[in-house]
């Protein structure tokens, strides 16, 4: 859709938010050789997702579950939570989530037993954030039969506080994200809900007219997603009051980002066969939906696509946040460039991103700098929903390799999946994905979940040939997790920025620490932090190849070099 209308109702505070930067003229440096090595077994990860499938082909079996990197035990190293589903009827086995503690040597230990997370549920998504500001990351897990909030009690122990805090969501929850939408210093919660489905109401669909296949969501009615406001110890459902009560959405992904640069968090919600939603924060507890005006509601043909995961990033160093959206097969990825006027333009159809992704079905997607050259690259985890799809669409496969697109600068990408090792490029039925520097060597490692199959952990070998700076932020007036804080830095090769965020991807979450690639730059000359509270801090002349922790109002409280 070619929309030229200017969204006059939005506040385009270009200068105040720093999004009036000129696009950087400096291109990324020469590519460094990077290989992603499958270390799943060597790291001690032994997990198989159970979708419960037993021949009935029920809709939830197609969605899979996600995973997250978060610090379960407050030791500064990213741990892993893998979400599981379960059998529809008991088979004498239990399918549990898996909590893995990082041993700080490239291996992990399963500490699920006795953690409080060892409960059986038909889980799908997970989001990590410190909702009670006690310095420990809590977990929200979405589930078909009802979501759960697990409070981190310390030492890798968690307690189910769902009922105690007043959360009640049994609406087929998928992705979730913590955010401070009212900027009161307490983390609120957005939950994406999918469709109205029950086992008794499961519909009969077929690819060939003779045998049952999985239905697509067009067959089911949509349902309302949820926004819970944190009152301090309790949560209030403010979905209707906030203007987020649309009952027709079929939501699978959510990203929190300040798309108009006014300092307040907005929401993009990816919907499956319904228009995507772009909710502008009105700064008064309410949101206005602007997806159609902004050009992100539909595909170029004016038809709603099958959108799954989503993320944002400034891939061209324009100072503005752009969107990447995972879509169904035969629809290609959506790469929405923020024009800075209230309008987004999908650049995928004219780029390598669109051509390469036309036939694949993308669930998790995100921006990251896997080679640390200072320019955000793109990852997409792919896998179809129907095992027999090849019989009716010979060019489409059930198991699919992921897409890894390297940023070449000047809004161009090249697919590098085949160049980073055969292990990453093998076809799987991928669903969730997340990244973190698990071995603290500077570069970002990768976690992928698969539907009714194993989880995979890949180590990044070679990305740290370039330099980096990793920041963990700690809020004081702002929420302790610093979710919503924006970091802008300058180095010899130009300017870049990022925002601490929960959610994104698909049913998954990456590390809350921000990793900036610096290429060959030896120093960050200036670093500005804009906290959700409105406070601002500036640091200067920070040497590259460091992990630093910055506390709001104090400054750097910890430094460390890479563990090489």
């Amino acid at each position: 859709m070619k929309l030229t209308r200017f969204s006059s109702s939005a506040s385009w505070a270009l200068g105040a938010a720093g999004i009036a930067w000129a696009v950087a003229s400096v291109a990324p440096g020469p590519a460094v050789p990077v290989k992603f090595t499958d270390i799943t077994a060597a790291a001690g990860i032994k997990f198989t997702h159970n979708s419960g499938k037993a021949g009935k082909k029920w809709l939830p079996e197609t969605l899979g579950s996600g995973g997250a990197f978060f610090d379960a035990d407050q030791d500064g190293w990213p741990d892993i939570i893998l979400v599981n589903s379960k059998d529809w009827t008991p088979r004498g086995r239990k399918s549990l989530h898996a909590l893995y503690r990082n041993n700080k040597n490239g291996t992990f230990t399963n500490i699920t037993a006795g953690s409080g997370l060892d409960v059986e549920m038909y889980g799908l998504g997970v989001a990590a954030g410190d909702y009670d500001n006690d310095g420990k990351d809590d977990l929200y897990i979405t589930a078909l039969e009802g979501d759960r909030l697990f409070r981190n009690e310390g030492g890798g122990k968690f307690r189910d506080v769902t009922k105690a805090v007043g959360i009640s969501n049994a609406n087929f929850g998928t992705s979730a994200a913590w955010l401070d939408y009212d900027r009161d210093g307490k983390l609120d919660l957005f939950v994406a809900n999918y469709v109205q489905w029950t086992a008794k109401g499961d519909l009969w669909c077929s690819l060939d007219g003779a045998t049952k296949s999985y239905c697509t969501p067009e067959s089911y009615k949509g349902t309302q997603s949820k926004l819970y406001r944190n009152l301090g110890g309790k949560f209030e459902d403010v979905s209707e009051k906030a203007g987020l009560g649309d009952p027709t959405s079929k939501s699978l992904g959510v990203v929190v980002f300040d798309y108009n640069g006014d300092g307040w968090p907005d929401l993009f919600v990816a919907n499956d066969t319904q228009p995507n939603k772009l909710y502008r924060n009105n700064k008064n507890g309410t949101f206005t939906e602007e997806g159609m005006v902004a050009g992100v509601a539909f595909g170029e043909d004016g038809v709603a696509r099958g959108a799954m995961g989503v993320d944002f990033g400034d891939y061209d160093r324009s100072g503005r946040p752009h969107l990447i959206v995972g879509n169904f097969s035969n629809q290609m990825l959506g790469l929405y460039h923020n024009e800075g006027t209230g309008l987004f333009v999908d650049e995928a159809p004219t780029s390598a991103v669109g051509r390469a992704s036309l036939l694949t079905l993308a669930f998790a997607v995100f921006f990251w700098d896997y080679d640390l050259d200072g320019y955000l690259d793109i990852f997409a985890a792919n896998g179809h929903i129907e095992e027999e799809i090849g019989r009716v669409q010979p060019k489409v496969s059930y198991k699919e390799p992921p897409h890894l697109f390297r940023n070449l600068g000047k809004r161009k990408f090249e697919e590098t999946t085949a160049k980073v090792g055969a292990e990453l490029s093998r076809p799987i039925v991928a669903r969730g994905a997340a990244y973190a520097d698990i071995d603290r060597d500077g570069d970002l490692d990768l976690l992928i979940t698969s539907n009714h199959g194993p989880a995979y952990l890949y180590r990044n070998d070679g990305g740290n040939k370039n330099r980096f700076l990793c920041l963990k932020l700690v809020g004081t007036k702002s929420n302790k997790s610093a979710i919503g804080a924006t970091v802008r830095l300058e180095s010899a090769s130009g300017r870049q920025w990022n925002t601490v965020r929960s959610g994104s991807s698909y049913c998954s979450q990456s590390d809350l620490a921000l990793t900036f690639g610096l290429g060959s730059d030896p120093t960050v000359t200036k670093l500005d932090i804009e906290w959700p509270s409105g406070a601002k801090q500036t640091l200067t002349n920070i040497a590259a190849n460091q992990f630093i922790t910055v506390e709001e109002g104090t400054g750097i409280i910890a430094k460390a070099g890479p563990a090489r």
Side-chain angles (χ1 to χ4, degrees):
M1 298 180 69
K2 295 183 178 180
L3 298 172
T4 56
R5 174 181 166 189
F6 175 77
S7 180
S8 59
S9 60
S11 172
W12 292 98
L14 301 186
I19 62 174
W21 290 348
V23 177
S25 58
V26 179
V32 296
V34 175
K35 178 183 179 183
F36 282 92
T37 304
D38 184 349
I39 61 168
T40 312
I45 305 296
K46 298 177 182 178
F47 175 84
T48 301
H49 173 257
N50 177 20
S51 70
K53 66 178 182 179
K56 294 182 179 180
K57 299 224 167 184
W58 284 349
L59 178 67
E61 298 168 4
T62 65
L63 294 182
S65 299
F69 287 110
F70 78 116
D71 190 356
D73 53 3
Q74 302 82 56
D75 66 353
W77 290 66
D79 308 301
I80 294 173
I81 175 70
L82 295 166
V83 177
N84 212 343
S85 302
K86 64 177 183 177
D87 294 325
W88 296 112
T89 55
R91 297 186 189 177
R93 62 176 180 177
K94 277 196 173 183
S95 299
L96 301 177
H97 313 309
L99 178 63
Y100 286 96
R101 184 187 64 225
N102 193 326
N103 296 327
K104 309 178 187 179
N105 61 1
T107 69
F108 290 78
T109 297
N110 189 325
I111 59 169
T112 313
S115 68
L117 299 174
D118 47 349
V119 293
E120 197 172 33
M121 52 199 287
Y122 202 95
L124 290 113
V126 59
D130 184 1
Y131 82 90
D132 53 1
N133 284 331
D134 67 351
K136 300 184 287 291
D137 291 337
D138 310 298
L139 289 177
Y140 187 83
I141 298 180
T142 64
L144 188 63
E145 70 275 28
D147 305 348
R148 310 242 192 129
L149 174 59
F150 295 94
R151 182 178 185 271
N152 191 331
E153 302 285 295
K157 304 294 183 182
F158 293 81
R159 179 167 56 92
D160 186 342
V161 296
T162 316
K163 290 183 180 179
V165 301
I167 289 178
S168 178
N169 185 57
N171 295 303
F172 207 149
T174 52
S175 295
W178 295 100
L179 73 160
D180 185 3
Y181 79 95
D182 52 3
R183 291 177 50 176
D184 66 352
K186 298 184 292 291
L187 284 179
D188 312 300
L189 178 67
F190 180 88
V191 185
N193 288 323
Y194 194 37
V195 298
Q196 298 179 35
W197 179 91
T198 63
K200 288 184 178 179
D202 187 75
L203 302 175
W204 193 90
C205 297
S206 178
L207 289 172
D208 58 13
T211 56
K212 189 176 191 294
S213 63
Y214 289 110
C215 292
T216 54
E218 289 103 329
S219 308
Y220 295 93
K221 292 181 179 180
T223 189
Q224 180 190 79
S225 292
K226 294 288 185 180
L227 178 65
Y228 291 99
R229 181 171 180 242
N230 189 338
L231 304 176
K234 296 277 188 178
F235 286 84
E236 174 191 8
D237 183 350
V238 295
S239 312
E240 293 284 353
K241 188 190 303 183
L244 302 175
D246 175 24
T248 66
S249 289
K250 302 175 182 180
S251 304
L252 288 175
V254 58
V255 65
V256 183
F257 73 136
D258 180 9
Y259 81 93
N260 58 356
D262 66 356
W264 290 73
D266 310 302
L267 289 163
F268 178 91
V269 182
N271 286 317
D272 192 359
T273 71
Q274 287 291 307
N276 297 323
K277 304 293 184 183
L278 180 62
Y279 292 104
R280 174 172 54 82
N281 193 325
N282 296 324
K283 313 178 194 177
N284 61 2
T286 69
F287 292 79
T288 298
E289 205 286 300
E290 297 191 336
M292 184 176 291
V293 172
V296 295
F298 303 98
E300 278 201 327
D301 54 2
V303 176
R305 297 196 279 197
M308 315 292 180
V310 59
D311 193 20
F312 85 85
D314 182 8
Y315 64 83
D316 63 349
R317 290 194 177 189
S318 63
R320 297 187 294 270
H322 316 294
L323 290 168
I324 182 76
V325 181
N327 290 311
F328 208 77
S329 54
N330 297 304
Q331 293 179 346
M332 73 178 60
L333 294 170
L335 183 61
Y336 293 101
H337 186 268
N338 185 342
E339 300 293 296
T341 60
L343 179 69
F344 289 76
V345 174
D346 188 358
E347 295 193 325
T350 58
S351 77
V353 172
R355 291 189 294 272
S357 64
L358 178 60
L359 296 178
T360 48
L361 196 165
F363 273 83
V365 292
F366 51 71
F367 290 104
W368 64 333
D369 188 358
Y370 79 90
D371 55 0
L372 299 177
D373 64 357
Y375 284 76
L376 291 177
D377 312 301
I378 294 171
F379 179 81
N382 304 315
H384 211 276
I385 64 168
E386 178 54 63
E387 294 176 73
E388 304 297 323
I389 189 63
R391 292 196 294 117
V392 292
Q393 296 184 36
K395 292 184 179 180
V396 178
S397 301
Y398 180 51
K399 294 182 177 182
E400 299 172 339
H403 292 305
L404 181 63
F405 295 101
R406 180 173 181 259
N407 193 331
L408 302 178
K410 299 181 179 179
R411 293 157 71 165
K412 293 183 178 180
F413 293 86
E414 67 166 338
E415 182 163 22
T416 54
T417 316
K419 298 180 179 180
V420 295
E423 293 171 337
L424 184 63
S425 60
R426 66 186 166 207
I428 60 174
V429 188
R431 291 296 184 260
Y435 59 83
D437 183 2
I438 63 165
D439 47 8
R440 289 180 70 106
D441 66 350
D443 49 29
L444 295 170
D445 310 297
L446 177 64
L447 175 71
I448 305 176
T449 67
S450 68
N451 190 26
H452 207 71
Y456 300 91
L457 183 63
Y458 297 91
R459 187 184 63 224
N460 183 331
D461 293 326
N464 59 12
K465 289 182 175 66
N466 278 323
R467 293 173 175 149
F468 73 94
L469 182 68
C470 180
L471 295 95
K472 179 183 178 182
L473 302 184
V474 180
T476 53
K477 290 183 179 180
S478 304
N479 68 86
K480 198 85 169 180
S481 298
I483 288 171
T486 294
V487 176
R488 306 180 190 278
L489 64 79
E490 298 179 23
S491 61
S493 58
R495 297 172 172 174
Q496 49 182 309
W497 66 280
N498 209 341
T499 299
V500 180
R501 58 192 177 274
S502 166
S504 296
S505 186
Y506 168 77
C507 286
S508 301
Q509 182 171 309
S510 297
D511 191 6
L512 291 174
L514 298 179
T515 294
F516 290 91
L518 299 175
S520 59
D521 297 351
T523 306
V524 171
T525 54
K526 184 181 179 185
L527 187 150
D528 292 314
I529 304 172
E530 299 164 8
W531 298 90
S533 67
K536 296 183 179 181
Q537 281 176 269
T538 298
L539 307 173
T540 58
N541 298 322
I542 305 168
N545 291 345
Q546 288 195 91
F547 299 88
I548 65 173
T549 301
V550 181
E551 185 176 74
E552 182 179 12
T554 303
I556 297 175
I557 59 173
K559 289 184 179 182
R564 302 189 190 189

